[in-house]
Amino acid sequence: MSVSGDKPAPVRPQGFWSYANPVKFLGFSERILPALWWLSGICLAVGLIWGFFFTPDDFRQGSTVKIIYLHVPSALMAINAWFMMLVASLVWLIRRHHVSALAARAAAPVGVVMTVIALVTGAIWGQPMWGTWWAWDPRLTSFLILFLFYLGYIALWEAVDDPDTAADLTSVLCLVGSVFAVLSRYAVNFWNQGLHQGASLSLDKEENVADVFYQPLLVAIAGFVLLFLALVFYRTGTEIRLRRTRALLARQRRA
Amino acid sequence: MKALLLRDLMLAFRAGGGFGLGLAFFLIVTVLVPFSVGPQSDLLARIAPGVLWLGALLACLLSLDRLLALDLEDGSLDLLATSPLPLEAALSIKALAHWLTTGLPLVLAAPLFGVLLNLPGPGYIWLVISLALGTPALSVIGTFGAALTVGIKRGGLLLSLLVLPLYVPTLIFGAETARRGAAGMDTSTPALMLAGITLAVIAVMPFASAAALRVNLR
């Protein structure tokens, strides 16, 4: 966004904020969606096939390590989806752009599915490695709590009839929930020491997962990110059209 | 503010069901636990702090959906919103009234129920301290949940779904304080964290509650 100091406030928003206009947003998302679908499909196919069939087995974990190509990206996206909802909620509360509120609403079910994938693949991976499907480990527990937050958020969207009221209430809940989700993460850490290994990927650490696993993992993560974007764009478009249909029906009834 | 507090307390005492109900619920939960896990006293002693905390938390939850819904029905919530008193202050007072009628009796009755669960000797004082530190946070967070769901028909179940995840940090530190106290270990870390959560929530949460309530009264 460009800030112009000498001119008076522009009548039409420029740059990034101009996509708050639903028509412009829809046009943009329609142009970009096919590319997103294709790219995410290609990345997922390459990353998963490369990861599953063309990497060696881990010397301790054997072939079970290969579930990492589903587990890590979905866990990453589960957290990032909530973060995206937080940003979108803030934009809605501050600038009142409807597209933003609808994007937050559209992202929530995707985030839930990512959380479930991370939990299920984690259980499937944990069974041979730790000898248990589930342990009350801090990371596992915080993910379960994140899942509950998602459920509450979606339930609140569903329960409120008026769309603007629902957007306001869910945004407030998202802000408060974010604070409490972080607080729970640390509380849970304090409460129990875990089985789960440390971070698999980080930017500031020398030691990451070995390169043979690392490269296909990055491709798979890119695939998940693109898939998330495609789903959110698609679902936001659906929400916008749904709302427009409702408005048209309401106008028809009044006429 | 004092008038509002007195009014809420009077209503809780006189309009039946509000005051003793939470306490009775707490008692029933405590009585049901030995039926479900068996009467071995060493097992009960081990789980007593956690069970008592969970019981207190659920008893707090029970009365939340009436916290604002009744006031919305008879219109006094609209009067509060238009009065010179800021909505944040009004909601803080309502949370305080909720704590005085629900949380405080739980704190005072908890040692009695501890006897039923064979709570070890040093645990009593820490159970009371941890509940006294933690239940105000439960009331304030619960007020936020009530403000979010006040406009929704049959919002009771939704209220639980929204509020229970928010209770997680309070429950962890509260139950940990009581557990360590019962085991004779050092309790200062969880107790301080619990007090910190309560103070932070009392300071910040009324603003979120008032924001949600304003949306619902619009």
Side-chain angles (χ1 to χ4, degrees), chain B residues 9-53:
Chain B
L9 290 180
M10 290 288 210
L11 275 176
F13 278 115
R14 286 186 190 158
F19 183 58
L21 206 62
L23 213 54
F25 181 79
F26 190 24
L27 176 65
I28 289 173
V29 169
T30 316
V31 170
L32 286 182
V33 167
F35 294 147
S36 65
V37 303
Q40 301 91 340
S41 52
D42 55 333
L43 175 67
L44 285 179
R46 215 169 67 236
I47 63 172
V51 165
L52 289 170
W53 248 93

Side-chain angles (χ1 to χ4, degrees), chain A residues 37-109:
Chain A
W37 288 122
W38 276 107
L39 275 176
S40 73
I42 292 168
C43 279
L44 281 176
V46 168
L48 293 182
I49 292 174
W50 184 4
F52 283 147
F53 299 111
F54 300 101
T55 55
D57 289 352
D58 185 73
F59 75 100
R60 260 180 310 175
Q61 307 197 15
S63 57
T64 57
V65 75
K66 292 182 174 176
I67 205 167
I68 195 175
Y69 304 111
L70 286 173
H71 182 66
V72 171
S74 58
L76 201 69
M77 289 324 293
I79 296 169
N80 284 346
W82 184 275
F83 187 67
M84 183 230 130
M85 280 156 54
L86 172 64
V87 174
S89 301
L90 274 175
V91 171
W92 160 252
L93 284 179
I94 294 168
R95 298 190 60 131
R96 315 299 289 180
H97 295 323
H98 285 89
V99 171
S100 176
L102 292 178
R105 177 177 194 175

